[in-house]
Amino acid sequence: QGQLVESGGGLVQAGGSLRLSCAASGRTFSSSEMGWFRQTPGKEREFVAHINWSGASTDYTDSVKGRFTISRDNAKNTLSLQMNMLKPEDTAVYYCAARRLIGYSGSAYRTAGFYDIWGQGTQVTVSS
């Protein structure tokens, strides 16, 4: 079993940058699919970004493409999300997530149910 802990959230002005980090425990991190999701009150948890087990493949939701960058350091068991050119609509609780099970099809990583382990979330607030 594993554990994820997010950090780096906070208040930032529109146009600014923020870097989120996710520290993972467990020996299976290096073979896990990892993702970032975000959620606002009353809304379904929304896919933000995914990175495959090796870091060779990434994917983003259209609204953040070109502004956000997901990365991982398997040697340090960390996942990051660099967020640039932030907009008020980016305001949400951001969650990191891991899938430890083997195999998947297509873009299943875009659905919350794909992941087995979730962090507690970190608040990102972008003011105008």
Side-chain angles (χ1 to χ4, degrees):
Q1 137 292 130
Q3 183 177 329
L4 304 175
V5 180
E6 302 97 332
S7 62
L11 175 65
V12 65
Q13 301 248 273
S17 297
L18 210 56
R19 185 177 180 87
L20 305 184
S21 295
C22 176
S25 63
R27 64 181 182 87
T28 62
F29 176 80
S30 63
S31 60
S32 296
E33 303 293 312
M34 301 295 297
W36 286 99
F37 283 71
R38 63 188 181 186
Q39 189 168 29
T40 56
K43 304 282 287 185
E44 189 175 338
R45 194 162 293 189
E46 176 192 16
F47 169 75
V48 176
H50 162 264
I51 188 166
N52 83 325
W53 67 271
S54 70
S57 181
T58 60
D59 193 23
Y60 302 87
T61 192
D62 287 344
S63 64
V64 309
K65 189 175 183 180
R67 299 188 296 121
F68 291 11
T69 302
I70 187 172
S71 61
R72 69 191 298 164
D73 187 338
N74 286 351
K76 297 180 180 179
N77 280 12
T78 57
L79 176 75
S80 297
L81 185 68
Q82 179 66 46
M83 305 185 294
N84 299 324
M85 297 177 286
L86 283 161
K87 305 174 180 180
E89 50 262 47
D90 294 318
T91 295
V93 176
Y94 283 71
Y95 299 88
C96 64
R99 176 182 171 89
R100 60 189 174 182
L101 301 179
I102 299 173
Y104 66 92
S105 61
S107 57
Y109 52 77
R110 285 176 166 259
T111 63
F114 176 79
Y115 300 91
D116 305 300
I117 305 171
W118 292 84
Q120 82 288 351
T122 186
Q123 177 71 48
V124 172
T125 302
V126 184
S127 64
S128 58

